[in-house]
Amino acid sequence: MTSKDDADDSDSWNRLGALVRVDQARMLENDNRLRNLELAVQRAGLRAVGQPARRRRARPVIVAALASAMLAAIAVVALRPRELSFAVGDAPGHTDSVLAADQQPLPLQFSDGSVLLLAPASEGEVKALSPHGATVRLARGHLDATVVHAAKTRWQVSAGPFLVHVTGTRFSAAWDPVGERLRITLAAGGVTVQGPLLGTTGLPMTKGQVLSVDVGQQRVLLAPLGDEASPAARPAQLPPAVSAEPAPPAEPNDWKSWALASDPTRAYAAAQQLGITTLSRQLTAPDLLLLADSARFAGAPRAATRVFQALRARFPDDPRAPDAVFGLGVLALDADHQPLRATQRFREYLSRWPEGTLAREAYGRLIEALDKAARPVEARRAAAQYLDRYGDGPHAALARRLLRRNPP
């Protein structure tokens, strides 16, 4: 039988617990994280609400500890960034819902202020949302995008086999799935486009450039925007296919012209005449990346490795340095068959640039490398991290297979 003091203490305890519960439930909008917080408090050794203490003197300390822990947990959850939301016209938007613009443009307005506009006769969908951006698929037609830049902005727009990495910019994308033609017009900011014909690490674009890719004709054209209209005023149509044969360079050893004409074999042959070592010491960071990709696609992985290494060493703080590290990992894994060396490169990328444009691909390739290196424990850990961050990514199936094959 308890004394009156015990009953008063118990009532105070219960009232405090009830107040914390009410306040927490309101802030968490009655979701199941309340129970998780309580369990976390219990696991930390604090007493559950209403449990009698062994010594009455300890109760005030325990009450204060419980209140502090729960309020701290509330603050953490309240301050955690929430994933973006979006509206389609005046209606709430939902991921994985087909969005079709028929006769009129269809606006998508996101909670961070970013706006996407599907042109008439276009179709797409929002595949995923995060606190820092969204993944959007353009199935066909034309899309104008104005993405608000923030510290950790991470947007991706896919179109067929192509992926546009966005950090904050204004651009338009047009995709013809029948003709397999892509056009990207960049009005402001910068993007990196990955996909067929664009090299190991993709093609970076800067303000005022137009990229046209014709997969069927195996042609790539990157040109200045010139006097073309702004993306917002452009009609929703793709340009005609790029001409079948690029004009030959004025000089036989003009490797860069051959590279930009999407002829890596001639580009690498021309670069050899000038000397790969000499060029590695003299070229700018963008040209080093272009030369490395040319060498790789010309079937010269050792030369590509040397050029990537020069880029990494000479320009460690350049925006293209992450591409060089990733490229070295890919070559170590695919060309040299050195999975352990590849894991070092991919881990370097993820350590130095965890929010880089190729972070998802680095995680996925790391899983491949660890699997080929027969490191099941590390592979399982990497697979779990990949699924936690990129549950629908291209390496998700491999990650799940590894987790089933190597259970904890």
Side-chain angles (χ1 to χ4, degrees):
M1 188 170 179
T2 58
S3 66
K4 183 178 183 301
D5 288 342
D6 284 336
D8 290 341
D9 283 347
S10 180
D11 288 342
S12 298
W13 180 282
N14 291 331
R15 284 195 299 272
L16 175 59
L19 287 172
V20 171
R21 277 196 177 92
V22 169
D23 195 34
Q24 187 179 24
R26 182 182 300 113
M27 295 181 67
L28 299 181
E29 299 176 351
N30 296 319
D31 65 19
N32 59 10
R33 281 174 286 187
L34 175 60
R35 178 58 181 161
N36 293 337
L37 291 175
E38 290 183 338
L39 292 175
V41 171
Q42 292 180 25
R43 283 195 295 270
L46 299 174
R47 302 184 191 281
V49 175
Q51 179 179 346
R54 293 181 181 178
R55 293 185 300 177
R56 278 171 42 196
R57 291 182 180 179
R59 278 201 181 101
V61 175
I62 297 172
V63 171
L66 175 62
S68 297
M70 296 185 77
L71 291 174
I74 292 170
V76 169
V77 173
L79 293 174
R80 182 182 302 161
R82 296 182 179 274
E83 69 177 27
L84 300 185
S85 60
F86 72 101
V88 182
D90 296 327
H94 304 282
T95 56
D96 291 323
S97 296
V98 176
L99 305 171
D102 297 324
Q103 302 298 322
Q104 298 294 328
L106 184 64
L108 311 180
Q109 298 179 334
F110 291 80
S111 54
D112 69 340
S114 299
V115 178
L116 275 60
L117 185 67
L118 276 172
S122 301
E123 182 178 302
E125 62 182 314
V126 178
K127 297 293 296 180
L129 297 166
S130 75
H132 307 300
T135 299
V136 179
R137 183 176 74 93
L138 177 62
R140 60 181 174 86
H142 185 100
L143 172 72
D144 290 319
T146 300
V147 174
V148 176
H149 178 73
K152 295 183 178 181
T153 301
R154 188 181 182 84
W155 283 72
Q156 294 180 335
V157 176
S158 66
F162 297 94
L163 188 63
V164 183
H165 297 276
V166 185
T167 56
T169 183
R170 287 193 299 111
F171 71 100
S172 68
W175 169 243
D176 174 10
V178 177
E180 292 188 296
R181 295 196 299 270
L182 173 77
R183 181 186 179 99
I184 303 293
T185 303
L186 188 59
V191 300
T192 298
V193 186
Q194 288 182 282
L197 309 176
L198 299 182
T200 307
T201 57
L203 180 67
M205 294 180 63
T206 57
K207 176 183 176 181
Q209 290 184 323
V210 179
L211 170 66
S212 298
V213 185
D214 189 317
V215 179
Q217 294 293 325
Q218 297 284 290
R219 293 291 178 261
V220 178
L221 176 64
L222 181 65
L225 183 59
D227 295 329
E228 296 185 44
S230 66
R234 292 183 56 79
Q237 60 183 14
L238 284 164
V242 182
S243 60
E245 282 295 331
E251 298 293 334
N253 59 3
D254 188 358
W255 71 269
K256 187 174 179 180
S257 294
W258 287 119
L260 293 175
S262 193
D263 193 332
T265 301
R266 289 178 177 175
Y268 177 63
Q272 280 186 304
Q273 296 180 28
L274 298 173
I276 299 299
T277 300
T278 300
L279 291 175
S280 296
R281 293 172 180 168
Q282 296 176 350
L283 294 178
T284 62
D287 286 350
L288 284 172
L289 187 60
L290 184 63
L291 177 58
D293 281 333
S294 297
R296 178 177 181 270
F297 283 101
R302 291 191 178 182
T305 297
R306 287 162 55 195
V307 179
F308 275 136
Q309 287 173 339
L311 172 55
R312 174 172 170 262
R314 290 180 54 210
F315 302 98
D317 299 322
D318 189 89
R320 295 158 190 83
D323 295 351
V325 173
F326 181 83
L328 287 169
V330 170
L331 289 167
L333 184 61
D334 295 343
D336 298 336
H337 307 291
Q338 296 287 336
L340 287 180
R341 186 186 305 166
T343 62
Q344 295 174 354
R345 298 306 184 203
F346 295 134
R347 280 175 167 157
E348 178 185 356
Y349 186 103
L350 294 170
S351 174
R352 295 182 61 188
W353 305 284
E355 300 296 332
T357 57
L358 296 172
R360 184 186 70 174
E361 287 68 27
Y363 262 111
R365 299 292 271 174
L366 175 62
I367 297 172
E368 292 183 39
L370 290 170
D371 185 37
K372 291 181 178 180
R375 299 290 183 92
V377 175
E378 296 174 70
R380 184 176 64 244
R381 185 182 304 117
Q385 292 172 344
Y386 181 89
L387 291 175
D388 184 56
R389 296 191 63 173
Y390 315 107
D392 60 347
H395 285 83
L398 172 62
R400 293 188 180 95
R401 284 200 302 272
L402 290 178
L403 290 176
R404 288 195 299 268
R405 187 197 311 166
N406 306 307

